[in-house]
Amino acid sequence: MEKLDLPPLGQGPAAAFARMPTGAKVFLILVGALLPLALIALFTTLQTTRSADEEARARLNAVVKESSGVLANVLANHVGELREGLAALERDRGDAPSCTRLAGAFASLSEGGTRFAITDGRGAVLCGQRLAITGVAVLKPGEVDAALVDKGLALRVGGQSGASATAYYPVAALATLGRPSGFVPEYGSALVKADGGSLTLRTLGDGPLTRRETMRAQLGVDDLILQMSMPGAPIASPLMIATVLLVLMWIAASAIGWFVVDRLLIRPLRRLRRVVRAYQPGEVIDPAFYGHLPAAEIRELGDTFRDISRTVQLHEADLAEGLVRQTRLTREVHHRVKNNLQVISSLINFHARGAKGPEASEAYASIQRRVDALAVVHRHHYAEMEENRGIELRPVIGELASNIRATAPPQAAGIGITLEVDPLLVTQDTAVAVAFLITEIVELAITCNPAAQVRISAKALPEGDRAVVRVSSPALVDSTELQTFLENRYSRVMTGLARQLRTQLHHDPLTGAYEASIAVNGRP
């Protein structure tokens, strides 16, 4: 079947969408149709998650305020106690009541490992217990320094002449102080300094989908900060379920849409296209392979193709039968024409035998040669009718030359005709005109010189659709006798035949050759 030349698609989104397969188009349409529902579900999930996050932040804010308040109060009181004890012991190294009062301030935390010490400028302990804290810088009088050391917090207050008061708080004691009261969900806490140091008091477990909320609060001692974290709204409950459902909904919608379109439309259409593409005239398209699943419209389309193919089959049969009748009629017509020409040739031959003089006999023979030329073309056309490619020029010219030699006058009995003809196919009209033209030129040559030798050639030109027919003979060299015969008898007929061939007849007076270009159908 012929393939239709469709105009090329343009550029832009519309053209790109038109070039997509049907399944991809349906998928995109379903995604666009379900997008509002997906946005609604996503908005609801975000709102739920935002509400849960706000609740978690409010709870964390309360916890941070409580824990930071407790720690800030304890540390502020201890700084004050250390400052007073350090000042009293600097005035009187033997001030036992001041040392006892300071020990009472730290007594509640001593079981958790909290220790304190007041040392003079030489490092001698004036009160408390010696602390093994290394890398401690000398402080100015009244200066407070909070250092995050290994496994705890070192709080120092500077005094006169290098004296200092130091308190050490282990991680466990700080975690106990910073623990919120009542039932508190899982949380994490740490002490952080502005210079980047940190001390973890309580670790918050992490998971692959853990979300956390974090807040900070200043403790008012040096640049010490309490940082606390609590789990945010869990992803596994509303957000994950909504997201998974959304993805599953899109996948299910696309899968269902593709299945419906593929089973009901695309596959049946592809099968129908293959059947129609493989269709040959005379066959009947059978859409029975569709089954009951395809769309009713496609089944109706298949039934329409089947009806059309049946109609074409009937028309093909009628045309084939009509062609057979036409071929038989044409063959009969050509057969009758050929028989009539043979009858005419026989009548001419019969009357030529009773002619009373050589001129009358020669006239009858000339007429018979022309009738034989027409009969040769009809006979070959009758033989080539089955293929209808055209008439082969080589056997026509060969048989024509034989007839001319057979009907030549007695004085031209020794005439020689040489042939050099390529295998060419021509139409019947061209074959008739060429046969008459060759007969006239050979007749002219015999009239001028009965013993002349004639050469007939037909050569194909490089173009492929043209050929040159050439008849040459020494008798056709320009002479007064030749011009006389042309003017009185042959010129008008030869010119008319050339006009019938839609060409010009060229004469070379020096070599005695006539040639003309004719149209050909090709080669056999």
Side-chain angles (χ1 to χ4, degrees), residues 55-367:
E55 182 181 351
R57 278 194 293 271
R59 186 168 54 249
L60 178 61
N61 185 40
V63 170
V64 169
K65 285 183 178 180
E66 180 184 356
S67 298
S68 63
V70 172
L71 283 173
N73 289 334
V74 170
L75 295 179
N77 291 335
H78 286 183
V79 168
E81 294 289 343
L82 290 173
R83 185 178 285 117
E84 292 178 2
L86 177 61
L89 290 174
E90 283 181 333
R91 290 192 299 270
D92 182 4
R93 295 172 62 92
D95 190 353
S98 297
C99 182
T100 302
R101 186 170 54 251
L102 185 58
F106 284 91
S108 62
L109 300 178
S110 60
E111 293 183 359
T114 302
R115 301 287 183 270
F116 74 93
I118 296 179
T119 59
D120 60 9
R122 294 188 298 274
V125 177
L126 302 179
C127 182
Q129 301 175 354
R130 180 175 296 278
L131 302 177
I133 300 175
T134 59
V136 177
V138 178
L139 301 178
K140 298 178 182 180
E143 184 180 0
V144 179
D145 176 63
L148 301 177
V149 297
D150 185 24
K151 298 182 181 180
L153 168 67
L155 193 62
R156 298 176 62 235
V157 178
Q160 301 293 333
S161 302
S164 65
T166 306
Y168 172 72
Y169 302 89
V171 171
L174 293 172
T176 302
L177 287 174
R179 181 178 180 84
S181 62
F183 175 77
V184 179
E186 188 67 22
Y187 70 94
S189 60
L191 293 178
V192 181
K193 293 198 68 176
D195 59 4
S198 65
L199 177 66
T200 302
L201 304 182
R202 183 183 175 92
T203 303
L204 177 63
D206 289 334
L209 300 177
T210 300
R211 298 172 62 249
R212 59 173 59 189
E213 297 288 341
T214 302
M215 284 189 179
R216 291 185 174 190
Q218 294 284 345
L219 298 181
V221 178
D222 196 6
D223 54 355
L224 202 59
I225 300 172
L226 175 63
Q227 175 179 293
M228 298 190 73
S229 300
M230 293 183 67
I235 296 179
S237 51
L239 183 60
M240 178 173 290
I241 292 175
T243 305
V244 170
L245 287 178
L246 178 62
V247 173
L248 290 178
M249 180 176 62
W250 279 15
I251 293 175
S254 61
I256 293 173
W258 170 253
F259 177 80
V260 171
V261 173
D262 184 65
R263 293 290 182 176
L264 299 185
L265 298 176
I266 297 178
R267 287 192 180 183
L269 283 176
R270 287 177 178 170
R271 292 174 181 174
L272 182 60
R273 182 183 64 180
R274 286 196 297 267
V275 172
V276 173
R277 179 180 294 176
Y279 169 76
Q280 297 294 331
E283 298 178 352
V284 176
I285 297 177
D286 183 15
F289 63 88
Y290 292 148
H292 301 287
L293 189 59
E297 291 78 5
I298 296 181
R299 291 199 300 270
E300 293 173 359
L301 180 62
D303 295 339
T304 301
F305 275 117
R306 180 180 57 194
D307 295 341
I308 292 175
S309 61
R310 285 177 177 174
T311 303
V312 172
Q313 185 184 44
L314 294 176
H315 288 178
E316 288 284 338
D318 292 342
L319 290 175
E321 184 179 355
L323 181 60
V324 171
R325 290 196 300 267
Q326 183 66 30
T327 302
R328 290 175 180 174
L329 179 60
T330 305
R331 291 173 65 90
E332 182 65 22
V333 170
H334 280 280
H335 181 67
R336 291 178 181 273
V337 170
K338 181 176 68 68
N339 290 342
N340 291 337
L341 290 175
Q342 289 178 348
V343 171
I344 293 173
S345 179
S346 299
L347 290 175
I348 293 173
N349 188 29
F350 175 78
H351 286 285
R353 292 175 184 174
K356 299 179 180 179
E359 291 184 0
S361 298
E362 177 59 25
Y364 279 120
S366 178
I367 295 172

